[in-house]
């Protein structure tokens, strides 16, 4: 057995039914504990999001506005998973996988609410800048109950996310960009890699403020442009929409026998790949996006929790659905010899001709590049946790080299390692969420009291 096969085998266990149960169970648990927060405060969340373009209450210079924090989080969420991941889910699990992707998003919203609330609660100040995330709320929160467990889980998470997103993940994103641009426009992959690395480094060096400004401009633009193009394609194929939705719901529940398999195999595959791709796309429960939400300037931690679940809705219910429906109405997933991003490119080619494939390559470039920026920042927060500011320069050099290397080489091993590490991140984070549930519940209760009193305020104690 080769190394890649060995990694895939371990990932098949950790990322299979065990992960499905853990994530869906966590989402159901917090839906119950928070009394359906994703339904109760859905419209309030979006109202807060659109009102969060500026900082609140004259907060310090080391923070971002709530909208900048959300944009940084969505920059990481909206990536190749929205283009290639959705296509892979449909190809492997059938159209029914999209239904389970939606379910993962709905249940992921209270999970990410809890993550953002804890990130706000346990954030700290390092050299004038706020920083936070799972490693911090695990070490401080879980550590108060069991110091040894808190230190172990926090360290395990920090190492996993640096390797998974900062290094391996960014190699994968760079590889996706270089392949798409090279295929569509014939630009050499080495040149693409150097250009990506230079642009990324320019954003990295500017720190969290530049990352926030970059994200709040680019992310809304790219998401809206992609959704509009998808809507135009759906209007063009509107007569197929009914069939597409029918395939999604039938595939989600109909226990038809797979070729050479048994009755129920199709549903099992739909659930597995729908949940997996939903996680890879919106990252709820993974512990990545809390790093951005930790530094948001808001009046109360629960406000950023509500804004955080807007990101899950935008990523999965809007952007992923746009991709899925484009693939289904054009039957692109039935074209032989196509996989991952190529399936989505086929859909846009069917809808818009050669220009469609070029447009998708440009969108994928924006999606993946903003993911590189977001994932770099998530890794940076954990480098600071482990090594302090002195670790940032070596980390930045490694990320820049990873972007170049990922652009010019085949990265099957990196893909496999990235998938495994992504799943490994989930376990310490979700364990911490369960342990720290009383803190989340109390902050949510305090927020409800503040709303009834007509004044939302929280006394932050930042170390």
């Amino acid at each position: 057995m080769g190394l890649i096969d060995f990694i895939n085998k371990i990932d098949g266990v950790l990322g299979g039914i065990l992960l499905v149960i853990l994530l869906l169970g966590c989402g159901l648990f917090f839906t119950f504990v928070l009394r359906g927060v994703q339904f109760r405060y859905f419209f309030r969340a979006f109202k807060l999001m659109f009102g969060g373009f500026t900082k609140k209450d004259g907060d310090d210079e080391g923070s971002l506005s709530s909208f900048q924090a959300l944009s940084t989080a969505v920059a990481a969420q909206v990536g190749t998973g929205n283009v290639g991941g959705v296509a892979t889910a449909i190809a492997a699990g059938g159209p029914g996988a999209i239904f389970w992707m939606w379910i993962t998003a709905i249940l992921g919203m209270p999970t990410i609410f809890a993550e953002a609330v804890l990130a706000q609660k346990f954030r700290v100040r390092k050299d004038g800048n706020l920083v936070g995330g799972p490693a911090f709320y695990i070490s401080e929160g879980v550590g108060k109950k069991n110091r040894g467990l808190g230190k172990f889980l926090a360290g395990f998470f920090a190492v996993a996310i640096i390797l998974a997103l900062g290094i391996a993940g960014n190699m994968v994103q760079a590889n996706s960009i270089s392949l798409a641009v090279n295929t569509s426009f014939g630009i050499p992959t080495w040149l693409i890699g150097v250009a990506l690395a230079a642009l990324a480094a320019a954003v990295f060096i500017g720190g969290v403020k530049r990352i926030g400004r970059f994200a709040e401009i680019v992310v809304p633009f790219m998401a809206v442009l992609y959704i509009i193009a998808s809507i135009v394609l759906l209007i063009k194929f509107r007569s197929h929409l009914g069939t597409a939705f029918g395939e999604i719901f039938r595939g989600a529940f109909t226990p038809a026998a797979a070729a050479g398999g048994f009755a129920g195999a199709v549903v099992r595959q739909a659930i597995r790949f729908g949940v997996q791709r939903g996680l890879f796309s919106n990252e709820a429960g993974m512990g990545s996006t809390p790093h951005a939400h930790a530094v948001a300037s808001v009046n109360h931690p629960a406000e950023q929790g509500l804004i955080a679940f807007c990101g899950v809705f935008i990523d999965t219910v809007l952007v992923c659905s746009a991709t899925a429906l484009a693939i289904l109405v054009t039957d692109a997933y039935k074209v032989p010899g196509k996989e991952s991003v190529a399936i989505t490119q086929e859909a846009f080619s069917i809808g818009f001709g050669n220009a469609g494939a070029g447009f998708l390559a440009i969108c994928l470039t924006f999606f993946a590049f903003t993911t590189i920026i977001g994932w770099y920042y998530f890794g940076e927060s954990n480098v600071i946790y482990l090594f302090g500011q002195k670790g940032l320069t070596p980390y930045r050099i490694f990320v820049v080299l990873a972007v170049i290397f990922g652009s010019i080489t085949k990265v099957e091993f990196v893909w496999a390692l990235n998938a495994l590490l992504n799943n490994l991140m989930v376990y310490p984070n979700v364990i911490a969420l369960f342990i720290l549930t009383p803190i989340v519940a109390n902050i949510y209760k305090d927020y409800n009291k503040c709303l009834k009193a007509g004044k939302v305020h929280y006394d932050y104690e930042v170390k």
Side-chain angles (χ1 to χ4, degrees), residues 229-241 321-322 325-327 329 352:
S230 299
I231 290 173
V232 172
L233 189 151
L234 295 179
I235 291 173
K236 189 173 182 179
F237 288 85
R238 58 189 177 276
S239 61
H240 297 184
L241 273 172
S321 294
L325 291 173
I327 290 170
V329 298
F352 303 112

Side-chain angles (χ1 to χ4, degrees), residues 362-373:
I362 293 172
C363 285
L364 181 63
T365 298
F366 274 105
F367 287 170
F369 183 72
T370 56
T371 299
I372 289 173
I373 301 302

Side-chain angles (χ1 to χ4, degrees), residues 239-263:
S239 61
H240 297 184
L241 273 172
T243 301
F245 279 106
E247 289 178 340
I248 289 173
F249 287 103
R250 278 196 303 273
F253 299 104
T254 304
F262 57 89

Side-chain angles (χ1 to χ4, degrees), residues 74-430:
V74 174
Q77 291 169 310
V78 178
T80 55
N82 299 79
V83 180
V86 172
T88 300
I90 293 174
I98 302 308
F99 174 84
W100 295 106
M101 189 177 288
W102 291 336
I103 295 299
T104 301
I106 292 171
L107 295 179
M109 291 164 80
T111 301
I112 211 164
F113 174 92
E115 291 178 295
V117 164
L118 290 172
Q120 283 265 316
K121 170 69 176 176
F122 291 101
R123 63 189 184 181
V124 300
R125 185 173 304 286
K126 299 284 188 180
D127 296 327
N129 290 316
L130 291 173
V131 64
F136 295 90
Y137 61 67
I138 292 173
S139 62
E140 291 296 318
V142 177
K144 285 185 179 180
K145 299 175 182 293
N146 187 318
R147 184 172 178 81
L149 179 64
K151 187 174 182 179
F152 170 75
L153 291 178
F156 183 91
F157 176 87
V159 171
I161 194 171
I162 291 169
L163 296 176
L165 302 187
I167 306 300
N170 280 336
M171 288 179 67
V172 167
Q173 297 296 329
N175 186 257
S176 298
I177 294 173
S178 67
L179 287 177
V181 174
N182 176 261
T183 300
S184 297
F185 304 107
I187 300 174
T189 54
W190 70 266
L191 184 58
I192 297 168
V194 171
L196 283 176
L199 290 172
V203 179
F204 297 164
I205 294 170
V208 65
K209 306 294 284 184
R210 185 176 296 175
I211 291 172
R213 287 194 295 268
F214 170 85
E216 73 174 337
I217 294 172
V218 176
V219 171
F221 170 77
M222 70 174 189
V224 169
L225 182 64
Y226 183 72
I227 291 171
I228 289 174
S230 299
I231 290 173
V232 172
L233 189 151
L234 295 179
I235 291 173
K236 189 173 182 179
F237 288 85
R238 58 189 177 276
S239 61
H240 297 184
L241 273 172
T243 301
F245 279 106
E247 289 178 340
I248 289 173
F249 287 103
R250 278 196 303 273
F253 299 104
T254 304
F262 57 89
V266 172
V267 173
R268 188 182 68 181
Q269 290 292 87
I271 294 173
R272 177 187 172 187
F273 284 98
V275 173
Q276 281 184 326
R277 296 302 168 179
L279 166 66
F280 182 74
S281 177
N282 64 54
E283 302 181 23
M286 188 187 292
S288 51
T289 58
H291 299 93
H293 297 301
V295 301
S297 171
V298 288
N299 293 325
H300 197 284
E303 286 191 336
Q304 195 61 28
L306 296 179
I307 292 170
F309 75 53
C310 292
V312 173
F313 184 86
I314 292 168
D315 172 85
T316 305
V317 178
L318 295 184
V319 181
C320 284
S321 294
T323 299
L325 291 173
I327 290 170
L328 293 177
V329 298
T330 58
D331 285 333
Y333 71 105
K334 297 178 181 178
V335 176
K338 301 290 183 180
E339 60 182 26
S340 188
V341 173
I343 296 175
T344 312
Q345 284 185 314
E346 181 68 20
F348 278 79
S349 294
I350 292 171
F352 303 112
N354 292 334
F359 170 79
L360 191 71
I362 293 172
C363 285
L364 181 63
T365 298
F366 274 105
F367 287 170
F369 183 72
T370 56
T371 299
I372 289 173
I373 301 302
W375 282 0
Y376 159 81
Y377 176 66
F378 300 161
E380 177 185 275
S381 298
N382 288 275
V383 169
I384 292 174
Y385 171 77
L386 290 174
F387 308 109
Q389 295 289 329
K390 65 179 180 294
L392 288 184
T393 298
Y395 171 65
R396 287 170 178 166
I397 293 172
F398 275 120
V399 174
V400 168
L401 292 176
V403 168
I404 296 174
F405 186 71
S407 299
I408 61 177
T409 60
K410 293 184 178 181
V411 289
E412 288 91 345
F413 169 75
V414 179
W415 274 98
L417 183 63
N418 177 237
L420 174 61
L421 291 169
N422 278 344
N423 292 330
L424 286 175
M425 287 164 50
V426 174
Y427 291 91
N429 183 56
V430 172

